[in-house]
Amino acid sequence: MITFTIPKPFPLLNHSIGQSRFALTGMRRKMARAVENAALHLRPSEPFQRAHVLIERYSTGTPDTDGLYGGAKFLVDALTTPRLLNVRTPGARQRVKNRRGLGFVVDDAPKHMTLEVRSVKCRLCEQRTVVTITEVSA
């Protein structure tokens, strides 16, 4: 089991709607850096084949469910493993899917990961995001 805390609550879906692709790329980078800084020494040598991921967002408000799960996307993407895509054109440059993945879980597909996102109301000074990754035996 791996548990780490990011000092701020992750941004909700409403924050990213309407942003340019450059702003979204910046948000992805920022989230990957936050996860990397919080869990630098906790990364497993091999990514988990199956895992249950619990994300608890501590904030002053209570967001709606779809905004909560949608906002967790960049965080979930940072937990998965980057992989090369098949390139059909000879001599073309290799493309990487999810290049900002840090390799905690193989993929975010249902056969590799079950996701649970909770919202916890707290005081302003206690805001944070707590991520718990539990390996599930097959």
Side-chain angles (χ1 to χ4, degrees), residues 81-88 92-100 106-107:
T81 305
R83 57 190 167 122
L84 291 174
L85 295 175
N86 293 332
V87 178
R88 296 180 185 181
R93 190 176 77 128
Q94 284 285 336
R95 297 191 57 204
V96 178
K97 179 181 179 187
N98 189 23
R99 73 181 69 188
R100 289 174 192 83
V106 171
D107 195 23

Side-chain angles (χ1 to χ4, degrees), residues 2-136:
I2 299 171
T3 301
F4 59 90
T5 302
I6 299 171
K8 294 182 179 181
F10 64 84
L12 297 172
L13 179 64
N14 292 343
H15 183 72
S16 61
I17 291 176
Q19 297 285 337
S20 70
R21 66 185 177 109
F22 302 108
L24 292 174
T25 298
M27 289 172 68
R28 284 186 188 97
R29 280 188 189 135
K30 193 173 183 179
M31 182 54 68
R33 270 190 242 118
V35 171
E36 188 173 28
N37 290 336
L40 183 64
H41 59 286
L42 300 173
R43 208 179 316 177
S45 57
E46 289 290 320
F48 297 149
Q49 291 296 318
R50 283 200 40 74
H52 175 76
V53 177
L54 170 64
I55 302 172
E56 296 173 305
R57 182 182 191 271
Y58 290 80
S59 65
T60 56
T62 52
D64 56 350
T65 305
D66 58 342
L68 186 65
Y69 273 85
K73 177 172 178 28
F74 294 153
L75 177 54
V76 170
D77 286 346
L79 299 177
T80 60
T81 305
R83 57 190 167 122
L84 291 174
L85 295 175
N86 293 332
V87 178
R88 296 180 185 181
T89 311
R93 190 176 77 128
Q94 284 285 336
R95 297 191 57 204
V96 178
K97 179 181 179 187
N98 189 23
R99 73 181 69 188
R100 289 174 192 83
L102 298 171
F104 288 93
V105 183
V106 171
D107 195 23
D108 58 355
K111 74 178 191 177
H112 295 290
M113 178 190 292
T114 57
L115 179 64
E116 183 180 353
V117 185
R118 294 183 191 157
S119 175
V120 180
K121 193 167 182 167
C122 68
R123 296 184 347 204
L124 184 65
C125 62
E126 298 170 342
Q127 293 188 113
R128 65 193 182 277
T129 301
V130 178
V131 180
T132 305
I133 306 169
T134 308
E135 187 172 20
V136 177

